[in-house]
Amino acid sequence: MNFLTIFARNLRQGPQTEAFPLGPAFTPERLRGRIEFKAESCEGCRICERVCPANAIRFAKTPDGMTFDCWHNTCVFCGNCEFYCPTDAIHQTNDWDLTHVNADKFEMVEHGLIPNQKCADCGATALNTAPVIKNAKPPLSDAEYAELRARCPKCRAKYLKNRKVPS
Amino acid sequence: MGLIPDFKKIATRSPWLYRINAGSCNGCDVEMATTALIPRYDVERLGCQYCGSPKHADIVLISGPLTVRVKDAVLRMFDEIPEPKVTVAVGVCPISGGIFRESYAVLAPIDQYIPIDVNVPGCPPRPQAIIAGVAKAIEIWRERL
């Protein structure tokens, strides 16, 4: 009689096969897939380039600033870059469908640019990276953050040093 | 006379798959086996079936970064597959070398020895991604036939 219960259950539930090529696929929310880079929150520390086991991430200095490139065709989706990123500038999305024809092989790149800027204090050219404010006490307000961001690294250190700390 | 187009129509429904392991770590091979053997993914819905002989194959799935030792065997086997064939590179190893890139023991990327049509990156790719790659390969194969 056991087969009758199985038969009834199969009639009720339908096939277990995923409908994928004809319908949407089940995707876990935290699946490690395509990498996403937010240039505005990058600190420029380049730790992701260092910890990447497949050398998929490469930073390069150009006249416009510093470029970030992650080639998904050599990325092994280990998640080291996201784990070590101090400012959450790198995020792994759950987009897994990276299938492409061979002609598009070198276009599977996540590209980002950290632009150059002129320092608001001394006028020197420096990268517009996100400032390191983890240890700033008390925490910076939004206006202070914008002021800090507009400066070069040396002037940022000066700014933090001369900052009035209410006692 | 009228039979020949009908044969063509029937034949384009069911490409046979063949796997070549070019020095893979077996991760991608397990995912490929999963794609075919587990009813949850079931690549046979697309009319595909794994075959044991390269002479019966239409779509070739290659995994692994093409190690130096396995190169001759892979090229010999690839030549045995009749035209028209569509090649799918499964995993990042055949596409670029992945973490084995620039090693003395591997000859990746594989497309400098074998013409590749579809790439499925991932380490290993999900079974759904392999199915998507096979679906893309079937489209290319129908154009070629």
Side-chain angles (χ1 to χ4, degrees):
Chain A
M1 289 305 280
N2 195 25
F3 75 96
L4 278 178
T5 52
I6 292 173
F7 180 65
R9 197 185 64 205
N10 286 354
L11 276 182
R12 202 172 59 245
Q13 288 184 341
Q16 294 288 316
T17 310
E18 274 194 19
F20 166 59
L22 314 166
F26 164 73
T27 308
E29 209 158 278
R30 293 180 64 195
L31 183 91
R32 290 191 236 149
R34 181 197 293 274
I35 278 167
E36 217 174 44
F37 179 69
K38 280 181 287 178
E40 62 268 19
S41 49
C42 178
E43 207 175 64
C45 65
R46 297 172 74 158
I47 190 77
C48 47
E49 189 183 28
R50 195 183 165 86
V51 297
C52 182
N55 289 337
I57 294 173
R58 186 176 292 166
F59 282 94
K61 288 235 168 94
T62 61
D64 300 330
M66 193 155 68
T67 57
F68 167 94
D69 288 294
C70 175
W71 190 27
H72 284 113
N73 273 345
T74 192
C75 170
V76 292
F77 307 100
C78 62
N80 263 3
C81 45
E82 186 183 3
F83 182 80
Y84 282 102
C85 183
T87 52
D88 296 333
I90 285 188
H91 173 62
Q92 271 193 308
T93 61
N94 64 355
D95 175 19
W96 47 266
D97 194 1
L98 299 159
T99 311
H100 57 279
V101 292
N102 199 38
D104 301 338
K105 185 177 171 183
F106 295 109
E107 284 160 27
M108 303 295 291
V109 173
E110 174 76 13
H111 183 79
L113 172 72
I114 306 162
N116 277 331
Q117 63 170 3
K118 286 250 185 301
C119 173
D121 268 359
C122 63
T125 309
L127 289 172
N128 184 10
T129 52
V132 188
I133 50 162
K134 227 189 236 168
N135 300 324
K137 272 182 192 168
L140 280 87
S141 66
D142 287 352
E144 277 180 313
Y145 181 84
E147 272 185 33
L148 191 64
R149 184 155 190 156
R151 286 163 164 77
C152 72
K154 273 186 186 170
C155 297
R156 277 179 190 176
K158 250 184 242 167
Y159 180 90
L160 285 176
K161 209 173 168 190
N162 300 335
R163 193 166 154 243
K164 280 175 201 156
V165 180
S167 52
Chain B
M1 285 296 283
L3 269 179
I4 293 163
D6 289 341
F7 272 136
K8 208 173 164 185
K9 211 172 170 184
I10 293 163
T12 49
R13 282 199 188 149
S14 51
W16 281 20
L17 307 177
Y18 185 67
R19 287 187 294 134
I20 296 180
N21 182 338
S24 160
C25 69
N26 243 21
C28 294
D29 296 285
V30 169
E31 295 295 314
M32 281 193 275
T34 307
T35 313
L37 300 178
I38 292 187
R40 188 169 170 191
Y41 304 113
D42 200 13
V43 81
E44 295 187 5
R45 279 175 304 159
L46 305 176
C48 303
Q49 193 184 19
Y50 281 111
C51 62
S53 162
K55 287 178 181 167
H56 301 156
D58 299 303
I59 292 174
V60 199
L61 303 165
I62 298 186
S63 59
L66 191 66
T67 54
V68 174
R69 285 192 69 114
V70 88
K71 179 191 154 201
D72 287 339
V74 166
L75 294 185
R76 206 163 58 233
M77 201 184 281
F78 190 77
D79 285 340
E80 281 190 17
I81 300 164
E83 296 284 349
K85 56 194 166 196
V86 179
T87 324
V88 182
V90 177
V92 291
C93 288
I95 306 172
S96 68
I99 52 168
F100 307 111
R101 201 149 56 104
E102 291 159 24
S103 159
Y104 64 89
V106 306
L107 298 165
I110 211 167
D111 60 0
Q112 47 190 341
Y113 298 97
I114 290 171
I116 300 280
D117 296 297
V118 180
N119 289 332
V120 184
C123 189
R126 292 188 87 194
Q128 287 97 331
I130 296 176
I131 290 178
V134 170
K136 204 166 262 185
I138 291 172
E139 280 171 29
I140 295 172
W141 179 69
R142 281 190 181 143
E143 280 169 24
R144 279 191 195 165
L145 207 70

